[in-house]
Amino acid sequence: MNSTTYSLGINLYKLLIKAAAPFNDKASMMIEGRKDWQPNLKSKIPNDSRKKIWFHCASLGEFEQARPVIERINRDETFIIVTFFSPSGYEVRKNYDKADLITYLPFDTKSNAKSFIDIINPDLVLFTKYEFWHFFLSELNNRNIPTALFSAIFRPNQSFFKKSGEFFRNMLRCFSLIYVQNEDSRLLLSNIGINNVEIAGDTRFDRVIDTCNSVSEIDLIKKFKGNFKLLMVGSSWPEDIKALSLFFNHLPPDVKVVIAPHEISEKSITELTTQLPSKSIRFTKTDANSYIPDEERFLIIDNFGMLASAYQYGDIAFVGGAFKDGLHNILEAATFGMPVLFGDKNYKKFNEAILLIDENAAFPVGNSNETNEILQKLFADDQNRKSISSKSYKFVRENKGATETILKYIQKVLN
């Protein structure tokens, strides 16, 4: 790989996204959201003495890692810019009121990188966890603009660590400082000669603790649960529901289920309801003041932004994604103290999943039989379940503090 082949790949990707846009909502949003980005951006950048800090987040999960840092920065003295690559991040958080400007990151071409950085002229740049854009990082490096990566985690199979990975290693060399989550990541970087690295942990621990400490009641879920035990199914895909199907068909009489699917289109919700063994109610179509009979055992959360707070009512969580491309955020559940289950396929690149398994507070499952067996035992044994819940709660709090490390770096650079 070199700059020429990388440029060809980016341009081909743009063409494919444009071709898909008439038929695919996500592709359409990626194109529409970047239209006329230069004049739009110029009109929103202030001409004042505030220091400009640019945070880049690939999508919604990375934004949640940036969020505890953003929310502790003094807004009177700074202008905060947040960019997203993916519509699943931008469309959900485009009205976030703790940043001054939220926009899409233009596609990574040499001219786009130069123009974008010319316009925003940042004093400090912070990339969250991953997503490495060659031309943007090269331009920042050439201008000696302090650029840090935080909450990063690395694995041996990534391109940086292959013999043919010099092009990718050069991207890492553009960072002034890299904050990693663990010692394994630090050692991997050290082995390729990158030593401007510090272990800081994962800012998501601070974020989920903040959520737990400031959570508001959700009247409908509280009423739905009543005196029942509750299984929270978060960010589920059809594959996750399939793994839960046997348990759903043998639901203990004292258990109810709340499901927050990853996709909430009308088609997806309809398909989900057909997979359930009995009638379900939908959050957006149910009044919190209405009567909810005990026979109603399934509640579907069919809106965005509620899941992290909804976990407060859970006794056990099943978090989706691991049967597909990757596990979703299990810390949102763990912070409230509960056992966490997830698929056994794509979870090993998530450090918190490995650590929670080591604590015997998380359980990967491969099929509906395994899922049913573990859930039946956990719901039947209150003492064991509460013991595991305490481990989960304690684990999250033992790993807090990454945010303070990043804030000290920001203060050092800006002062």
Side-chain angles (χ1 to χ4, degrees), residues 145-188:
I145 295 171
T147 304
L149 174 67
F150 69 95
S151 291
I153 191 160
F154 293 92
R155 300 179 306 281
N157 63 346
Q158 288 176 298
S159 299
F160 311 111
F161 311 110
K162 296 177 180 177
K163 285 185 178 179
S164 58
E166 186 64 18
F167 177 80
F168 300 99
R169 286 190 284 276
N170 281 333
M171 291 192 214
L172 295 180
R173 294 184 183 112
C174 292
F175 288 104
S176 314
L177 190 57
I178 297 175
Y179 288 103
V180 295
Q181 293 186 26
N182 57 26
E183 175 68 8
D184 288 347
S185 293
R186 189 195 69 78
L187 286 172
L188 281 169

Side-chain angles (χ1 to χ4, degrees), residues 296-360:
E296 300 283 7
R297 308 288 292 281
F298 295 91
L299 168 63
I300 297 173
I301 298 178
D302 52 350
N303 58 12
F304 278 125
M306 185 180 291
L307 176 59
S309 297
Y311 278 122
Q312 68 181 292
Y313 299 103
D315 294 283
I316 301 174
F318 187 108
V319 178
F323 286 119
K324 287 181 69 67
D325 296 333
L327 180 63
H328 293 291
N329 193 341
I330 62 173
L331 295 179
E332 290 178 336
T335 191
F336 289 103
M338 67 187 79
V340 182
L341 283 73
F342 44 80
D344 66 355
K345 299 296 184 288
N346 292 316
Y347 72 85
K348 292 182 181 177
K349 64 182 179 180
F350 299 92
N351 192 47
E352 66 275 14
I354 301 296
L355 294 174
L356 269 174
I357 291 169
D358 290 344
E359 294 283 339
N360 292 315

Side-chain angles (χ1 to χ4, degrees), residues 62-69 72 128 150-151 181 200-210 331 399-406:
E62 293 71 40
F63 170 78
E64 289 300 320
Q65 287 176 302
R67 191 168 175 173
V69 180
R72 286 169 172 80
T128 312
F150 69 95
S151 291
Q181 293 186 26
D202 187 347
T203 51
R204 280 184 306 161
F205 286 96
D206 303 307
R207 172 61 192 153
V208 298
I209 291 170
D210 287 347
L331 295 179
N399 284 279
K400 67 181 181 180
T403 298
E404 286 303 318
T405 301
I406 310 307

Side-chain angles (χ1 to χ4, degrees), residues 116-132:
F116 186 87
I117 295 167
D118 280 342
I119 295 168
I120 69 168
N121 190 25
D123 295 281
L124 172 62
V125 181
L126 294 149
F127 275 53
T128 312
K129 192 175 182 180
Y130 58 65
E131 209 170 66
F132 305 92

